[in-house]
C-alpha cells in the first residue's frame, strides 16, 4: 500500500463526505448522537488543556471517539482546499502556512489520539496521559526539531508527534490543587490550536501562525488558587524543540508564565500567558560572533472569551512577539489583535467571523516556505529552498477578514463531522505587495489576496 494511494483515498473519503452532508443539510436539524462513553461525570479534557472549541459541546458530554476502561481513543481526518483566483506562480497563498497550497486539495491531518484525561471535579490525586500522532501536510510546520522530521523530510505529508505526556493532579497547597503536565505538549498560549476540530476556521490567523510557538518539551504546571485564579508556570527546551544538536537550536532553556481568570460563572475568562527564552540557532549566530543562548525571544498573548448570550460568543486576542537579536542584531517586534465572533443558529450550524490586524515591523516573522522541509531547516539555522522568496512582505501591517460557517450534521458510521466553508480577504497596509507573488520579477504581486474554500473534519 503506497503513501500516494493513502493520500488519494483519504481525500476521496473527505470529498464524498462533504458532498453527502451538503445534500442532507436542509433536512438535518438534530445534532449527532454522542458516542457510547463513560458516565457523564467523566470530563472531556484535562483542566490544563486551556483551549476551547468553537462550538462548545453539551455539559459533561464525552468527546467523540471510543472509551475503554477510562482511556479515550479517537481518529480524526482533516482534508480541504483553498482556492486563489489569482493563481500565484509560486503556488502558495502568502500569509497562510497550513493552507498554503493554492487550488490544491490536501490532507492536512490524520490525527490519532489515546488519552486518559483528568477529571476537574475530582479533588483527589489523579494521573493520566496523552499520546497524539499526526500524519499530513500540517506536520511540516508543527514538527519537533530532531524527531520525526527526519523520517520523510522531502514529502509534503509528514509524521509528527503532537503530544506525548503524563498528567498528574496533585491535591496540595491550594483549594484546587495543582495540575502537572510533563513531556511533549501543544502550547497553552493563544486561542487557535493544532487540533482543527477546536477552531472556527480552516485557515489560521496571523497570530497563531507567526506570533506564537506551536509545541514544547518540558514541564507545565497549572495551580488552581481558587475558583477565580489559575497560575501557569513551566520550563521547557524552547519552541518546537526537543534535545540534542538537531533537536534544539541552542543550548538554553525556555519557560512559560501567566495566569487565567474566571468571571461570571465561566461566561467571561481571561488567559494571559508568555513564553520566553532564546530561540535563535547557534549554527547561525556563532559564526557572526554572537551567543545564541543570550538572545531571547518572547511570545506574549492574552485571550478574552465572553459568552454574551447562549448563542453569541466573542473572543478577543492580543499578541506581542519580540526577538532580541532580530535583524542584524537589532531587536524586532510584531504585535496585533484578532477579534472573533460566533453565533449559533441551530444545534448544527454556527456563523463565524474573524477580523485581525498584525504588524511585522522588520520583515522578521511573516514568511512562506516553498520547500517541504524548509520550516524545520529555517528553525535549525540551515539553508532553505525558499530563502530568496520566504519573506516578501517587508515591514508590513497585515489585515485579514474571514467569514464562514461551522456545520455539524449527523451521519452514520462517524462520531463527528464538521464542515467549515470560508471566504477570506487579506490586505497589506503598505506598498510592499506581498500577495500573489510571481518570482523572480513578482510582476503580479498585489496588496490584496482573496481566497475561498473549506475543509471536512471527520472523527471516528
Amino acid at each position: 500500500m503506497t503513501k500516494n494511494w493513502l493520500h488519494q483515498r483519504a481525500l476521496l473519503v473527505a470529498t464524498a463526505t462533504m458532498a453527502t452532508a451538503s445534500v442532507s443539510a436542509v433536512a438535518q436539524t438534530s445534532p449527532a448522537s454522542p458516542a457510547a462513553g463513560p458516565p457523564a461525570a467523566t470530563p472531556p479534557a484535562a483542566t490544563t488543556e486551556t483551549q476551547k472549541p468553537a462550538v462548545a459541546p453539551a455539559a459533561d458530554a464525552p468527546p467523540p471517539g471510543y472509551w475503554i476502561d477510562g482511556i479515550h481513543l479517537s481518529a480524526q481526518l482533516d482534508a480541504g482546499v483553498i482556492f486563489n483566483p489569482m493563481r500565484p506562480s509560486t503556488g502558495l497563498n502568502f500569509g497562510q502556512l497550513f493552507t498554503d497550497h493554492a487550488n490544491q486539495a490536501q490532507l492536512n491531518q490524520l490525527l490519532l489520539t489515546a488519552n486518559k484525561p483528568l477529571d476537574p471535579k475530582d479533588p483527589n490525586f489523579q494521573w493520566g496521559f496523552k499520546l497524539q500522532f499526526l500524519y499530513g501536510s500540517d506536520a511540516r510546520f508543527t514538527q519537533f526539531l530532531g524527531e520525526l522530521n527526519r523520517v520523510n523530510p522531502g514529502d509534503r505529508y509528514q509524521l509528527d508527534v503532537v503530544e506525548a505526556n503524563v498528567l498528574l493532579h496533585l491535591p496540595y497547597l491550594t483549594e484546587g490543587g495543582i495540575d502537572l503536565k510533563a513531556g511533549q505538549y501543544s502550547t497553552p498560549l493563544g486561542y487557535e490550536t493544532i487540533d482543527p476540530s477546536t477552531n472556527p476556521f480552516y485557515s489560521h490567523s496571523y497570530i497563531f501562525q507567526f506570533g506564537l510557538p506551536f509545541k514544547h518539551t518540558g514541564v507545565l504546571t497549572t495551580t488552581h488558587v481558587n475558583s477565580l485564579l489559575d497560575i501557569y508556570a513551566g520550563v521547557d527546551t524552547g519552541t518546537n524543540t526537543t534535545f540534542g544538536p538537531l533537536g534544539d537550536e541552542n543550548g538554553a532553556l525556555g519557560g512559560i508564565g501567566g495566569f487565567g481568570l474566571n468571571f461570571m460563572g465561566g461566561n467571561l475568562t481571561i488567559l494571559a500567558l508568555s513564553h520566553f527564552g532564546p530561540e535563535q540557532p547557534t549554527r547561525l549566530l556563532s559564526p557572526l560572533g554572537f551567543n545564541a543562548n543570550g538572545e531571547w525571544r518572547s511570545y506574549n498573548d492574552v485571550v478574552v472569551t465572553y459568552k454574551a448570550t447562549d448563542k453569541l460568543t466573542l473572543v478577543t486576542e492580543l499578541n506581542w512577539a519580540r526577538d532580541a537579536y532580530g535583524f542584524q542584531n537589532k531587536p524586532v517586534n510584531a504585535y496585533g489583535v484578532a477579534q472573533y465572533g460566533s453565533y449559533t443558529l441551530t444545534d448544527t450550524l454556527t456563523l463565524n467571523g474573524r477580523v485581525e490586524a498584525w504588524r511585522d515591523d522588520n520583515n522578521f516573522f511573516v514568511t512562506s516556505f516553498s520547500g517541504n522541509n524548509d520550516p524545520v531547516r529555517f528553525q535549525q539555522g540551515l539553508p532553505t529552498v525558499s530563502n530568496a522568496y520566504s519573506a516578501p512582505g517587508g515591514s508590513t501591517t497585515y489585515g485579514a477578514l474571514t467569514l464562514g460557517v461551522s456545520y455539524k450534521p449527523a451521519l452514520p458510521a462517524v462520531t463527528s463531522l464538521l464542515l467549515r466553508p470560508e471566504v477570506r480577504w487579506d490586505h497589506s497596509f503598505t506598498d510592499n505587495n506581498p500577495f500573489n507573488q510571481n518570482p523572480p520579477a513578482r510582476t503580479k504581486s498585489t496588496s490584496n489576496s482573496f481566497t475561498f474554500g473549506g475543509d471536512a473534519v471527520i472523527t471516528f
Side-chain angles (χ1 to χ4, degrees), residues 370-436:
S370 57
N372 291 324
N373 201 36
D374 280 0
V376 169
R377 293 180 63 85
F378 182 78
Q379 293 176 84
Q380 293 174 328
L382 298 172
T384 65
V385 173
S386 51
N387 270 347
Y389 309 112
S390 62
S395 299
T396 304
T397 300
Y398 297 91
L401 173 63
T402 311
L403 301 174
V405 300
S406 299
Y407 178 54
K408 302 183 70 173
L411 287 180
V414 300
T415 58
S416 176
L417 170 64
L418 172 63
L419 304 179
R420 299 183 298 182
E422 70 169 58
V423 293
R424 173 168 173 158
W425 170 62
D426 290 70
H427 178 70
S428 170
F429 291 94
T430 62
D431 297 327
N432 296 315
N433 297 337
F435 302 108
N436 305 312

